[in-house]
C-alpha cells in the first residue's frame, strides 16, 4: 500500500485522470439501470410460501387483481353502463391483462344454463336494458359486491393479470391509468390493488430521490463550508461523493441489478456515508504538505487507517444485511458494501489527489497548530477562529463526562431501560399502503373501493381432498359451504367466491321456472310442472349441475381443478399489511384445525400471504444482522487495540443508539418493516465511525499525556469538530428525506437522523466516561512507543520475526516496573525470568560490586536462568526508573503452543544472544580490567 501511495504521489494529475476515467466507465452503466417493483425480489426462488403460490397459480391461474371503481348515484343507467362497457373493453386490450370483468362483460347463467347470454346484451343500452340488468343482478347474488355495490352506487372492473415480468408492471399500470383518464362517463373513478400500490411506491420514491438528493448535497455543502470556510473544501468533497455514488449505480446497471423497493434508499445512504469519509479526509488533507509526494503519504498515514476501519465497520453493518433471508434486503447489503468500498477509495485517493492536483492559492492553505494536535485546523487567512468555541465546548463536555461519569452511567442506564421497554412493544408489519400519507390518491382509492365494494386484495384458500372427484359429493360440498359461511362472517373479509357460488348459480338457472312446462299429476290431471328443488335438498340434482361444470373446465379453472380434487376459495379483503393478514389467516387455520374433517388439507396463499411470511423473516433477519454486525465490529475494534476490554468499552456507546431506535419505534407505534429493518445494522456500522476516529486518536495522544483523563479531553478537542461535522452531515442527509411524499421514506429518514444524533451524544459523553474506567494503552502500544518503530529489525531478541510475529510474541508477556536502586536480579537467587528493558537503565554488578555492563532500552538480561533455572551469577540494579517486559517459563510454554513457528526463531535468537555473551566472556577472561564494562549471562 505504501508503494502504491508513493507511486500515486509522484504523478497526482495523471493518477487522478486515470481514476476518473475508470470511474466514468463504470458510471456509464447508469444507462442500463432499471427498476423492479415486483414481489419476487422479497422472497427466495425456493421459498416454501412462494413455491406454493406458484403451484396454485399453475392450477387455478393468477389471483392478483386490480380493481377500478366508478362511484355513481345509480349504476343501472344507460350512461353508466355504456361507458363502463367502453372502459372494460379498453382495459381488456392492455398487454398482460388476462381479462377485465364487469357487469358488461360477464354472462348470466341463471337466465340460460346451457347457453348463458351476456348480462348486458350487445348493442345500444337504453333504459329498458338497464332495468333488466338491475333485475338480473338482484336475482344473482354472485355479482354483489364483486362487480356492483349492494345499493347500486358503485360499479367495479376487476382486472386479472397473466404472468408478467417485474419490469413490465409499471408499464401495465400506466396503461391502465391512461384508460381510466379517458373515461368520459358519470361518476368518480378510482384504481386500487397491490400491483398498483407497488408501482406507485416505486414511482414516488424514485421521484423523491431526484428531488431530495440535490437537497442532501446542499446540506452537505453548508456543513462543509461552516467547518472549513473554503470553496475547495466544499466543492471537491461534494464532487467526489456524487462521483462515487454514480460509480456504484453504474456498476448496478452493468450487473443487471435493478433498483427495488429496498435498494431505492441506497443512493441517499451512500451519499451521507460518503460525506462522513470526505469530512475526515478534507480535515486531514488541509494539514498535509503542499507537495503531493510528501503530503499524500502523510495524509494517508494520518487518516487512512481510521477511514479504512470506519469503512470496514460500516461495510460490516451492511454486510450483515447481505445474509438476510429476504433477497431484496440481501441485495441492498451486497451493493452497499461495494458502494462503501468505492466511496472509501474515492475519498482517500480521489479526493486527496484532487486537492494536490489543484493546489490552494496564496495563504488559503491551513497549517497544523502543533505537532501534538494534528487534527485541529487553523482558519484560512482572513477568517476568525470562529469555531474555537466548539473545540472548547467539546473538551469541556468530555471533562464533565469523565468527572461525572457516575451521572453519565445512571442517565445512560435509565435511557437503556426506557429503550428496552419500548423495544418490547415493537411489532413487525409490512404494509406498503400505510406508507402513503393520509389523503394521497392511493389511500383515497383504497378507502373508496373498500367502503362500497369488495376489498381489492384477494387471499387464496385451497382445499384439497384425499382423492379425485372428492368435491363431487354433497357431503364434501356441505363442509365447504360451512367453511365459506365462516369466512364470510370474518370481520376483515368483505366477500368470497368459490365453486359453490357457481354451482348455486347454475342450480338457480336449472330451477328457473317460466311456466311453460306441464306434467300429469297423480290424479291424471295436466298441471304446471313444479320448480326443481335445489341440489342441497335433492342430491340427484347435483350430478346435473356438476356435469355442466365438467363440460366447460376452462370456465371454472379459477375455482376447481379438472379432477374435482382441489378447489379454491378466494376471500376479498381490504387488508394490505402482513400483520392483519397473519391475524386473518390464523383465524382461518383455527377453524380448519378444530372443525375440518380428516383427510382435507387447506393451504392459504396469495401475495398478501407471501408478504406475511416475509415479515416473519424480517424479525429474524433483524436479530441476525444486528448480532452479526455487533460481533464483527466488536472483533475489529478488539483486534485494532488488541484488548477485549477496550473492544467492549468501544461498543457500549454504540448500543445506546440502537436501544433508543427500537425504543422510539415501540413507544411511537412504528412497525418494523422492510424499510425500518435495515436502519439498526446500518446505524451501528455508521455510528461506530466516530468511535473509531476518537479511539484511534486517543491511542496516540494517551502516550504523550500526563494522565488518561487529560488524554480523553485532549482527544475530544482534536477530533470533536470533524465528528460533529460528520454527524451533522449524516443527520442533515437523513432529515432531507422528510420532504418525501412517501411515508416509508419519511419514517426511514427521521428515525435514522434521530439515531445518528443519539450516536453523536453518546460519543461525546458516554464514550469518554466509559474509557475513563478502562486502560486504553496495550502492551504492544507501550513496547512500540518505548522501543521505537520496527523492533523486529532493531532488537536482537526479535531478529527475523515479522512485525505481526513481534506483536503476537510481545502480547504473551507482562510489564514490570522498578524504581531507582531497586534490584531487578539478585546474585545467588534461583530464577526463571528474562527481562527485556523497555525504558530506563540498569547496571550489572559482579560479586565485588563492579559494574560489568549497562543495560538500556532493547537490552535483555537473565537469559541463562530462563533456559536452565540456575542461580543468578550477578546483580542487576535499576540505576534509573526502569520498565521491563518479563519473559518466563509460562511465556515460553504459551509461545510453543500458540506460535510454534515464532517460537523456534525466538529460541534461536536467545541462543545467539547467549552464545555472543559467552564468547565475549571467554575472550575477556583472564584480562578483566577493573574499569572495563562488559555483559555477562546472569
Amino acid at each position: 500500500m505504501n508503494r502504491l501511495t508513493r507511486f500515486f504521489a509522484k504523478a497526482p494529475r495523471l493518477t487522478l485522470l486515470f481514476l476518473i476515467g475508470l470511474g466514468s466507465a463504470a458510471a456509464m452503466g447508469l444507462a442500463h439501470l432499471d427498476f423492479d417493483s415486483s414481489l419476487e425480489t422479497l422472497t427466495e426462488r425456493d421459498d416454501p410460501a412462494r413455491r406454493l403460490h406458484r403451484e396454485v397459480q399453475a392450477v387455478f391461474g393468477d389471483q392478483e387483481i386490480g380493481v377500478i371503481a366508478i362511484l355513481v348515484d345509480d349504476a343501472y343507467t344507460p350512461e353508466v353502463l355504456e361507458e363502463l362497457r367502453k372502459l372494460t373493453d379498453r382495459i381488456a386490450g392492455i398487454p398482460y391483462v388476462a381479462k377485465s370483468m364487469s357487469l358488461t362483460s360477464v354472462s348470466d347463467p341463471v337466465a340460460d344454463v346451457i347457453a348463458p347470454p351476456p348480462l348486458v346484451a350487445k348493442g345500444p343500452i337504453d333504459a329498458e336494458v338497464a332495468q333488466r340488468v338491475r333485475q338480473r343482478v338482484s336475482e344473482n347474488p354472485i355479482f354483489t359486491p364483486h362487480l356492483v355495490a349492494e345499493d347500486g352506487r358503485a360499479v367495479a372492473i376487476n382486472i386479472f393479470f397473466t404472468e408478467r415480468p417485474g419490469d413490465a408492471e409499471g408499464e401495465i399500470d400506466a396503461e391502465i391509468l391512461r384508460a381510466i383518464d379517458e373515461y368520459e362517463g358519470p361518476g368518480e373513478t378510482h384504481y386500487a390493488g397491490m400491483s398498483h400500490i407497488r408501482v406507485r411506491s416505486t414511482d414516488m420514491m424514485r421521484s423523491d430521490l431526484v428531488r431530495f438528493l440535490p437537497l442532501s448535497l446542499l446540506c452537505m455543502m453548508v456543513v462543509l463550508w461552516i467547518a472549513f470556510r473554503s470553496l475547495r473544501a466544499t466543492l471537491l468533497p461534494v464532487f467526489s461523493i456524487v462521483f462515487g455514488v454514480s460509480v456504484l449505480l453504474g456498476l448496478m446497471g452493468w450487473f443487471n441489478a435493478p433498483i427495488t423497493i429496498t435498494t431505492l434508499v441506497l443512493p441517499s445512504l451512500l451519499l451521507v456515508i460518503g460525506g462522513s469519509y470526505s469530512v475526515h479526509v478534507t480535515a486531514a488533507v488541509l494539514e498535509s504538505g503542499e507537495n503531493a509526494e510528501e503530503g499524500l503519504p502523510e495524509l494517508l498515514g494520518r487518516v487512512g487507517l481510521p477511514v479504512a476501519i470506519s469503512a470496514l465497520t460500516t461495510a460490516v453493518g451492511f454486510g450483515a444485511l447481505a445474509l438476510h433471508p429476504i433477497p431484496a434486503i440481501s441485495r441492498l447489503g451486497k451493493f452497499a458494501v461495494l458502494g462503501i468500498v468505492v466511496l472509501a477509495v474515492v475519498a482517500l485517493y480521489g479526493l486527496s489527489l484532487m486537492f494536490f492536483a489543484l493546489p490552494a492559492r496564496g495563504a488559503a492553505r491551513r497549517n497544523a497548530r502543533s505537532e501534538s494536535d494534528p487534527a485541529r485546523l487553523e482558519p484560512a487567512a482572513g477568517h476568525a477562529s470562529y469555531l474555537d468555541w466548539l473545540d472548547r465546548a467539546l473538551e469541556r463536555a468530555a471533562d464533565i463526562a469523565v468527572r461525572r461519569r457516575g451521572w453519565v452511567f445512571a442517565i445512560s442506564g435509565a435511557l437503556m431501560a426506557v429503550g428496552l421497554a419500548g423495544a418490547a412493544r415493537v411489532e413487525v408489519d409490512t404494509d406498503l399502503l400505510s406508507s402513503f400519507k393520509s389523503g394521497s390518491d392511493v389511500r383515497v382509492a383504497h378507502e373508496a373501493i373498500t367502503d362500497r365494494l369488495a376489498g381489492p386484495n384477494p387471499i387464496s384458500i385451497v382445499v384439497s381432498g384425499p382423492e379425485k372427484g372428492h368435491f363431487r359429493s354433497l357431503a364434501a360440498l356441505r363442509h365447504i359451504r360451512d367453511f365459506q359461511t365462516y369466512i364470510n362472517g370474518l370481520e376483515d373479509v368483505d366477500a368470497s367466491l368459490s365453486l359453490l357460488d357457481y354451482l348455486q348459480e347454475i342450480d338457480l338457472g336449472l330451477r328457473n321456472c317460466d311456466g311453460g312446462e306441464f306434467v300429469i299429476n297423480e290424479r291424471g290431471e295436466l298441471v304446471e310442472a313444479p320448480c326443481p328443488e335445489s341440489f342441497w335438498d335433492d342430491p340427484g340434482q347435483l350430478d346435473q349441475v356438476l356435469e355442466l361444470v365438467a363440460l366447460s373446465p376452462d370456465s371454472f379453472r379459477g375455482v376447481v381443478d379438472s379432477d374435482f380434487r382441489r378447489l379454491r376459495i378466494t376471500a376479498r379483503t381490504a387488508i394490505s399489511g402482513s400483520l392483519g393478514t397473519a391475524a386473518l389467516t390464523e383465524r382461518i387455520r383455527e377453524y380448519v384445525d378444530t372443525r375440518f374433517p380428516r383427510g382435507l388439507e387447506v393451504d392459504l396463499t396469495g401475495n398478501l400471504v407471501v408478504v406475511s411470511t416475509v415479515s416473519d423473516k424480517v424479525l429474524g433477519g433483524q436479530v441476525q444482522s444486528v448480532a452479526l454486525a455487533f460481533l464483527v465490529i466488536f472483533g475489529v475494534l478488539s483486534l485494532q487495540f488488541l484488548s477485549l476490554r477496550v473492544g467492549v468499552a468501544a461498543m457500549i456507546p454504540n448500543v445506546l443508539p440502537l436501544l433508543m431506535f427500537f425504543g422510539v419505534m415501540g413507544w411511537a407505534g412504528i412497525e418494523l418493516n422492510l424499510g425500518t429493518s435495515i436502519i439498526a445494522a446500518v446505524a451501528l456500522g455508521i455510528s461506530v465511525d466516530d468511535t473509531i476516529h476518537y479511539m484511534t486518536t486517543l491511542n496516540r495522544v494517551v502516550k504523550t499525556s500526563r494522565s488518561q483523563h487529560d488524554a480523553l479531553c485532549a482527544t475530544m478537542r482534536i477530533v470533536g469538530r470533524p465528528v460533529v461535522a460528520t454527524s451533522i452531515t449524516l443527520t442533515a442527509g437523513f432529515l432531507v428525506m422528510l420532504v418525501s411524499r412517501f411515508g416509508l421514506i419519511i419514517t426511514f429518514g427521521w428515525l435514522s437522523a434521530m439515531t445518528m444524533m443519539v450516536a453523536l451524544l453518546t460519543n461525546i459523553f458516554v464514550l469518554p466516561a466509559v474509557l475513563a474506567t478502562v486502560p486504553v494503552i496495550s502492551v504492544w502500544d507501550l513496547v512500540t512507543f518505548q522501543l521505537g518503530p520496527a523492533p523486529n529489525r532493531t532488537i536482537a531478541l526479535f531478529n527475523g520475526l515479522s512485525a505481526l510475529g513481534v506483536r503476537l510474541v510481545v502480547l504473551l508477556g507482562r510489564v514490570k516496573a522498578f524504581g531507582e536502586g531497586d534490584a531487578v536480579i539478585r546474585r545467588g537467587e534461583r530464577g526463571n525470568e528474562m527481562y527485556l528493558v523497555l525504558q530506563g537503565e540498569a547496571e550489572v554488578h559482579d560479586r565485588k560490586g563492579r559494574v560489568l555492563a549497562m543495560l538500556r532500552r532493547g537490552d535483555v538480561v537473565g537469559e541463562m536462568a530462563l533456559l536452565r533455572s540456575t542461580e543468578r551469577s550477578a546483580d542487576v540494579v535499576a540505576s534509573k526508573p526502569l520498565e521491563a517486559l518479563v519473559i518466563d517459563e509460562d511465556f515460553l510454554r504459551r509461545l510453543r503452543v500458540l506460535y510454534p513457528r515464532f517460537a523456534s526463531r525466538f529460541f534461536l535468537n536467545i541462543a545467539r544472544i547467549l552464545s555472543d555473551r559467552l564468547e565475549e566472556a571467554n575472550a575477556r577472561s583472564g584480562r578483566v580490567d577493573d574499569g572495563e564494562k562488559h555483559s555477562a549471562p546472569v
Side-chain angles (χ1 to χ4, degrees):
M1 185 63 70
N2 291 332
R3 291 181 179 178
L4 183 65
T5 299
R6 288 193 294 270
F7 176 78
F8 285 170
K10 291 180 180 179
R13 288 181 175 84
L14 184 61
T15 302
L16 182 60
L17 288 175
F18 172 76
L19 293 177
I20 291 177
L22 187 65
S24 298
M28 290 176 66
L30 279 167
H32 304 282
L33 191 62
D34 205 350
F35 290 80
D36 185 357
S37 61
S38 70
L39 290 179
E40 301 296 312
T41 60
L42 301 182
T43 56
E44 297 175 345
R45 183 170 297 277
D46 59 347
D47 179 78
R50 181 176 171 185
R51 186 167 58 247
L52 174 62
H53 185 45
R54 288 199 302 267
E55 291 174 359
V56 171
Q57 284 181 313
V59 175
F60 298 102
D62 192 359
Q63 67 145 193
E64 185 173 72
I65 62 173
V67 178
I68 299 174
I70 304 175
L71 309 184
V72 293
D73 294 330
D74 184 4
Y76 305 105
T77 64
E79 295 80 10
V80 171
L81 294 176
E82 188 66 50
E83 293 299 326
L84 177 64
R85 180 160 59 185
K86 292 178 182 178
L87 182 56
T88 303
D89 294 341
R90 171 74 169 81
I91 296 295
I94 296 175
Y96 300 108
V97 171
K99 63 179 177 179
S100 58
M101 182 183 295
S102 73
L103 292 178
T104 62
S105 65
V106 295
S107 59
D108 183 11
V110 175
D112 188 340
V113 176
I114 304 300
L119 182 64
V120 178
K122 293 183 179 180
I125 301 175
D126 53 22
E128 183 180 351
V129 172
Q131 188 60 31
R132 188 185 312 121
V133 171
R134 184 193 298 271
Q135 180 182 354
R136 300 310 301 164
V137 168
S138 66
E139 295 175 357
N140 191 347
I142 198 172
F143 298 130
T144 306
H146 299 281
L147 300 180
V148 63
E150 291 185 9
D151 60 5
R153 299 185 60 195
V155 289
I157 302 174
N158 292 336
I159 306 172
F160 296 85
F161 302 99
T162 62
E163 187 174 351
R164 57 206 183 279
D167 56 359
E169 201 167 38
E171 298 176 7
I172 300 168
D173 191 79
E175 192 65 30
I176 292 173
L177 292 178
R178 278 193 290 270
I180 294 174
D181 289 340
E182 294 171 3
Y183 173 77
E184 298 177 348
E188 181 181 319
T189 58
H190 296 282
Y191 178 48
M194 291 303 298
S195 174
H196 180 59
I197 290 174
R198 290 194 301 271
V199 173
R200 290 286 287 123
S201 300
T202 304
D203 288 344
M204 290 182 67
M205 287 189 282
R206 180 164 45 187
S207 63
D208 285 340
L209 283 176
V210 174
R211 191 154 52 98
F212 60 63
L213 282 179
L215 292 177
S216 298
L217 291 173
L218 179 61
C219 291
M220 196 173 298
M221 291 173 66
V222 171
V223 173
L224 289 167
W225 175 257
I226 292 175
F228 303 114
R229 295 296 289 270
S230 166
L231 191 61
R232 292 168 62 253
T234 300
L235 297 180
L236 294 184
V238 170
F239 173 79
S240 69
I241 297 166
V242 173
F243 184 73
V245 173
S246 300
V247 168
L248 184 275
L249 294 178
L251 291 174
M252 290 181 67
W254 288 122
F255 290 144
N256 293 320
I259 291 182
T260 63
I261 292 174
T262 52
T263 54
L264 272 168
V265 300
L266 188 56
S268 298
L269 281 174
L270 294 179
L271 195 69
V272 295
I273 293 171
S276 172
Y277 301 155
S278 296
V279 167
H280 286 291
V281 171
T282 302
V285 78
L286 296 177
E287 300 299 315
S288 305
E290 295 281 345
N291 185 276
E293 194 165 352
E294 299 174 356
L296 187 60
E298 178 189 347
L299 163 70
L300 295 181
R302 179 185 305 162
V303 78
L305 180 62
V307 168
I309 295 177
S310 297
L312 175 61
T313 54
T314 306
V316 166
F318 279 106
L321 297 178
L323 302 178
H324 203 285
I326 298 177
I329 296 180
S330 175
R331 178 181 293 180
L332 169 66
K334 293 173 183 176
F335 279 101
V337 171
L338 178 60
I340 289 167
V341 172
V342 170
L343 288 169
V345 171
V346 169
L348 288 174
Y349 287 100
L351 179 58
S352 57
L353 285 171
M354 279 193 287
F355 275 103
F356 290 119
L358 303 171
R361 303 299 180 189
R365 179 175 292 277
R366 306 179 186 186
N367 297 311
R369 286 189 177 182
S370 69
E371 203 171 326
S372 63
D373 199 7
R376 296 185 58 186
L377 304 176
E378 285 286 1
H383 293 288
S385 185
Y386 62 99
L387 287 181
D388 277 353
W389 65 269
L390 179 59
D391 298 336
R392 292 191 297 269
L394 291 169
E395 186 176 20
R396 177 60 178 161
D399 178 67
I400 294 173
V402 172
R403 295 182 183 278
R404 305 290 183 182
R405 54 182 176 272
W407 281 100
V408 173
F409 295 152
I411 294 172
S412 299
L415 291 175
M416 286 184 177
V418 173
L420 283 171
R425 301 164 58 95
V426 174
E427 293 184 330
V428 181
D429 191 15
T430 299
D431 187 356
L432 287 179
L433 180 64
S434 66
S435 299
F436 290 88
K437 294 180 179 179
S438 179
S440 67
D441 58 341
V442 174
R443 292 285 287 271
V444 169
H446 184 84
E447 292 165 4
I449 290 173
T450 55
D451 283 346
R452 303 194 188 186
L453 298 160
N457 301 325
I459 294 177
S460 284
I461 306 164
V462 180
V463 185
S464 302
E467 72 280 327
K468 294 180 180 180
H470 178 79
F471 291 110
R472 285 181 174 273
S473 72
L474 189 60
L477 294 178
R478 288 187 190 278
H479 287 302
I480 299 302
R481 182 182 62 181
D482 296 340
F483 186 31
Q484 191 170 353
T485 300
Y486 170 78
I487 293 172
N488 287 333
L490 294 174
E491 181 181 357
D492 293 322
V493 175
D494 297 324
S496 66
L497 188 66
S498 76
L499 174 65
L500 284 185
D501 295 290
Y502 289 99
L503 294 180
Q504 290 175 156
E505 188 177 24
I506 295 172
D507 189 43
L508 282 173
L510 292 174
R511 293 188 291 116
N512 186 16
C513 298
D514 57 6
E517 295 185 7
F518 295 88
V519 297
I520 299 175
N521 63 14
E522 296 176 353
R523 292 177 294 185
E525 298 172 345
L526 187 65
V527 297
E528 187 174 340
C531 293
E533 291 184 323
S534 167
F535 67 80
W536 297 114
D537 302 317
D538 180 10
Q541 181 81 353
L542 179 60
D543 291 337
Q544 188 178 359
V545 172
L546 291 175
E547 186 63 27
L548 291 172
V549 173
L551 289 174
S552 182
D554 291 340
S555 300
F556 300 95
R557 182 194 171 208
V559 292
V560 68
D561 66 358
S562 58
D563 295 328
F564 282 85
R565 181 178 176 269
R566 304 173 72 187
L567 62 80
R568 177 170 72 176
I569 303 172
T570 300
R572 296 276 294 273
T573 177
I575 293 174
S576 57
S578 60
L579 194 62
T581 303
L584 175 58
T585 56
E586 182 62 28
R587 288 195 292 271
I588 294 174
R589 288 192 175 100
E590 287 177 1
Y591 178 94
V592 172
D593 293 339
T594 57
R595 302 176 63 178
F596 246 47
R598 293 183 179 180
L600 293 182
E601 297 181 0
V602 177
D603 295 305
L604 284 78
T605 187
N607 282 327
L608 280 179
V609 178
V610 173
V611 171
S612 178
T613 62
V614 166
S615 292
D616 294 338
K617 297 177 182 179
V618 167
L619 182 59
Q622 175 78 105
V623 174
Q624 173 184 318
S625 59
V626 172
L628 179 62
F630 187 92
L631 290 174
V632 175
I633 292 173
F634 165 72
V636 169
L637 291 174
S638 298
L639 286 175
Q640 182 189 4
F641 298 100
L642 294 173
S643 170
L644 292 177
R645 288 186 301 172
V646 175
V648 171
M651 292 305 297
I652 289 176
N654 295 286
V655 173
L656 182 56
L658 295 186
L659 289 178
M660 292 303 297
F661 160 71
F662 287 113
V664 169
M665 284 186 63
W667 291 116
I670 300 172
E671 295 85 4
L672 188 66
N673 54 41
L674 291 174
T676 56
S677 67
I678 68 177
I679 297 177
V682 173
L684 179 60
I686 295 176
S687 63
V688 81
D689 172 87
D690 293 339
T691 303
I692 290 171
H693 283 279
Y694 182 90
M695 294 190 67
T696 301
T697 304
L698 175 64
N699 200 44
R700 183 178 71 251
V701 173
V702 72
K703 299 169 189 174
T704 58
S705 300
R706 292 176 299 176
S707 67
Q708 189 157 311
H709 180 183
D710 292 343
L712 291 168
C713 297
T715 301
M716 184 60 70
R717 186 177 179 89
I718 292 172
V719 303
R721 194 188 301 184
V723 164
V724 170
T726 56
S727 297
I728 292 177
T729 300
L730 290 167
T731 303
F734 285 121
L735 286 178
V736 166
M737 297 182 185
L738 296 182
V739 304
S740 172
R741 296 172 297 165
F742 192 54
L744 185 66
I745 294 293
I746 294 174
T747 303
F748 182 90
W750 76 260
L751 276 175
S752 299
M754 182 273 297
T755 307
M756 291 299 101
M757 290 309 299
V758 173
L760 173 63
L761 293 176
T762 55
N763 277 299
I764 291 176
F765 292 100
V766 181
L767 182 59
V770 171
L771 293 178
T773 65
V774 179
V776 295
I777 187 166
S778 66
V779 174
W780 172 252
D781 293 323
L782 186 63
V783 170
T784 53
F785 174 67
Q786 294 173 335
L787 295 183
N792 55 321
R793 294 195 296 269
T794 58
I795 297 176
L797 186 61
F798 299 139
N799 184 39
L801 295 177
S802 64
L804 175 62
V806 175
R807 175 173 292 207
L808 295 174
V809 168
V810 166
L811 288 176
L812 296 176
R814 55 190 173 87
V815 177
K816 189 172 182 180
F818 300 91
E820 184 176 351
D822 289 349
V824 180
I825 291 175
R826 295 184 183 277
R827 184 173 56 83
E829 293 182 346
R830 285 192 174 274
N832 61 353
E833 297 176 338
M834 180 178 75
Y835 299 92
L836 169 65
V837 178
L838 301 177
Q839 187 174 8
E841 294 181 355
E843 297 176 346
V844 180
H845 297 169
D846 64 9
R847 67 181 59 190
K848 297 181 180 181
R850 292 177 298 183
V851 178
L852 300 178
M854 292 292 298
L855 302 178
R856 296 182 176 84
R857 215 164 39 171
D859 291 332
V860 294
V861 65
E863 63 274 10
M864 184 69 76
L866 172 66
L867 297 177
R868 299 180 58 191
S869 297
T870 59
E871 292 184 358
R872 305 286 192 179
S873 60
D875 293 314
V876 178
V877 180
S879 57
K880 292 182 180 180
L882 179 139
E883 289 182 349
L885 180 68
V886 181
I887 301 172
D888 54 16
E889 290 180 346
D890 183 58
F891 173 96
L892 296 180
R893 179 184 56 78
R894 287 184 291 159
L895 181 62
R896 287 195 302 269
V897 172
L898 297 176
Y899 313 113
R901 184 167 60 88
F902 297 150
S904 61
R905 187 72 193 188
F906 190 78
F907 283 121
L908 178 62
N909 290 338
I910 294 178
R912 285 177 174 173
I913 292 173
L914 184 59
S915 176
D916 290 343
R917 290 192 175 173
L918 286 173
E919 182 179 354
E920 180 184 354
N922 290 334
R924 293 184 178 183
S925 62
R927 57 181 182 84
V928 176
D929 188 345
D930 290 346
E932 185 180 17
K933 299 176 183 178
H934 62 87
S935 59
V938 292

